Amino acid sequence: MNYPRFPDYITDLPDNHSLKVYFEENEFIKRLLVELQMASPSEDFQKFLNVFNQVCEIEKRYARKENQLFPFLEKRGWYGPSQGMWSFHDSIRDILRAIRAQLENKEIQSLNENVRLLIENMHHMIHVEENRLFPNAFQLLQPEDWASMISGDEEIGWVDKNRRMSVAAEPSNTAPAKSANVFPDISKLKMDEGVLNLEQINLILKFLPVDVTFVDENDKVAFYNRGEERVFPRSAGVIGREVRFCHPPKSVDTVLRILEEFKAGRKDEAEFWIQFKGRVIHIRYFAVRDKDKKYKGVLEMSQDITEIQKIQGEKRLLSWDQ
């Protein structure tokens, strides 16, 4: 497939502008796909595995689009990418998982068809991005949108490690300053039990060993906690976003049904457990109601329970490793 050179509107952008990063990242992905096509798992399994592992970093790119670019496009009235393109992301993810399973099971002879599909689909994705998604985004989004996007992009990460380091290190004259990780000692806030200040509340939520997201009664994302190792990526672009756009299209009907049952008062909790990147993830939704039982939103909690599942018997003594 032939690709156009960078259009003028990309060439003239600052190096840390999200669109310029996307285009330059695509050049890196194209080179990886050539390496993947030329690598032979039967002749040099380790080389093929190394290249494939690099290709799997595409997840960071798709997560950035879903959690950063798409929300800003929604705010400007374009909802198509949140639906059609997200489904395409998931199709590519399915192929990556299939190849991973074949590699783990040493099913070398059956790899070729899935590798061909992967390369074909990723090339098509790049074509749609560069010829439709990115030009339209450039026209729709305002300078303040792109400025707000930079810190969230950094939070999720980039495919190319060298690019990740250079973008993260580059100062921005357009991005709003990231707030210092220090909170004022404001007046104590009376809780149901006890009192806390803003710093304490933020620290408690940060160190909870679960991902927490709160969606208000209007189905808008109002909060997520910034844990050190989140199960699922989140960035500031998700705040204020309609929750139906925060999930893969194949999951939207389930999410909407949960909200409907919670709002009607018929249900108060829903739970799921899934396999994700070789880990077992427990996902729970809780209806949040005030003292009069009026629906005020939904709390989503996701936790990696892989190690918890292995617990047996009892542990009553402290046994820290030295």
Side-chain angles (χ1 to χ4, degrees):
M1 181 176 292
N2 294 321
Y3 295 95
R5 296 174 63 85
F6 284 5
D8 290 342
Y9 75 90
I10 294 296
T11 304
D12 296 338
L13 293 175
D15 286 346
N16 64 346
H17 192 288
S18 297
L19 274 189
K20 192 164 191 177
V21 174
Y22 276 124
F23 266 86
E24 292 183 351
E25 198 172 55
N26 270 348
E27 293 303 304
F28 178 75
I29 294 168
K30 294 171 199 174
R31 292 195 297 271
L32 276 183
L33 293 179
V34 171
E35 290 184 39
L36 186 69
Q37 190 169 28
M38 295 178 65
S40 171
S42 58
E43 295 178 7
D44 192 336
F45 181 84
Q46 190 58 51
K47 180 179 179 180
F48 180 91
L49 182 60
N50 290 344
V51 176
F52 176 72
N53 284 337
Q54 283 188 283
V55 172
C56 286
E57 291 286 295
I58 195 71
E59 173 59 32
K60 291 185 175 70
R61 178 185 179 85
Y62 295 165
R64 278 203 332 272
K65 289 165 64 181
E66 293 160 359
N67 291 278
Q68 286 284 108
L69 182 59
F70 293 176
F72 281 99
L73 293 176
E74 291 161 16
K75 291 173 185 176
R76 299 296 179 182
W78 191 22
Y79 297 89
S82 305
Q83 300 165 1
M85 188 165 281
W86 196 330
S87 294
F88 200 5
H89 291 173
D90 285 344
S91 296
I92 292 174
R93 288 174 173 128
D94 288 341
I95 300 172
L96 288 169
R97 281 192 288 269
I99 294 174
R100 176 73 67 189
Q102 289 172 321
L103 288 171
E104 290 175 352
N105 296 323
K106 297 296 192 294
E107 298 172 1
I108 306 302
Q109 300 305 316
S110 58
L111 272 174
N112 290 340
E113 178 60 17
N114 276 329
V115 171
R116 183 191 66 79
L117 283 174
L118 177 66
I119 293 172
E120 181 180 291
N121 277 269
M122 289 181 68
H123 276 308
H124 180 66
M125 174 66 75
I126 291 171
H127 180 78
V128 174
E129 287 175 346
E130 296 188 352
N131 290 277
R132 176 167 167 76
L133 176 67
F134 296 153
N136 286 352
F138 182 75
Q139 293 296 322
L140 279 173
L141 300 187
Q142 301 302 308
E144 60 267 25
D145 297 328
W146 297 114
S148 299
M149 213 177 294
I150 293 175
S151 61
D153 284 355
E154 180 182 338
E155 187 176 350
I156 293 174
W158 294 272
V159 174
D160 180 1
K161 292 181 180 179
N162 293 326
R163 183 62 187 170
R164 290 206 294 273
M165 289 187 290
S166 64
V167 172
E170 181 180 344
S172 170
N173 295 323
T174 57
K178 295 178 70 175
S179 58
N181 203 14
V182 177
F183 302 96
D185 186 14
I186 64 172
S187 301
K188 298 287 185 177
L189 303 175
K190 181 70 173 68
M191 316 296 285
D192 281 352
E193 299 294 339
V195 290
L196 295 169
N197 63 29
L198 180 60
E199 179 185 19
Q200 291 168 332
I201 292 171
N202 274 283
L203 288 172
I204 289 169
L205 291 167
K206 177 180 179 180
F207 282 92
L208 281 177
V210 293
D211 292 3
V212 176
T213 303
F214 177 67
V215 178
D216 67 20
E217 64 268 36
N218 298 312
D219 300 341
K220 301 288 183 68
V221 177
F223 167 83
Y224 69 92
N225 65 333
R226 286 181 176 270
E228 292 296 327
E229 296 184 8
R230 291 191 58 87
V231 175
F232 301 115
R234 288 282 188 272
S235 63
V238 78
I239 301 300
R241 192 183 193 189
E242 287 188 49
V243 68
R244 65 193 176 101
F245 294 120
C246 297
H247 292 80
K250 62 185 178 184
S251 304
V252 170
D253 288 345
T254 300
V255 172
L256 294 180
R257 184 183 174 194
I258 291 171
L259 293 175
E260 180 182 351
E261 294 296 310
F262 283 3
K263 291 177 181 179
R266 292 187 290 265
K267 300 291 183 182
D268 290 305
E269 181 180 347
E271 66 175 342
F272 309 88
W273 45 94
I274 63 173
Q275 298 287 330
F276 182 71
K277 296 183 178 179
R279 311 293 290 178
V280 182
I281 310 301
H282 189 206
I283 305 168
R284 304 175 75 185
Y285 296 87
F286 299 94
V288 176
R289 307 185 192 281
D290 63 17
K291 58 183 178 61
D292 298 318
K293 304 299 182 183
K294 181 180 178 181
Y295 176 80
K296 303 298 290 184
V298 58
L299 190 68
E300 177 186 351
M301 301 177 67
S302 303
Q303 183 176 16
D304 184 339
I305 61 169
T306 309
E307 302 305 321
I308 296 175
Q309 284 192 317
K310 300 176 183 178
I311 293 176
Q312 294 181 344
E314 296 182 340
K315 177 183 177 182
R316 292 177 176 269
L317 300 177
L318 183 63
S319 57
W320 285 336
D321 293 333
Q322 300 297 322

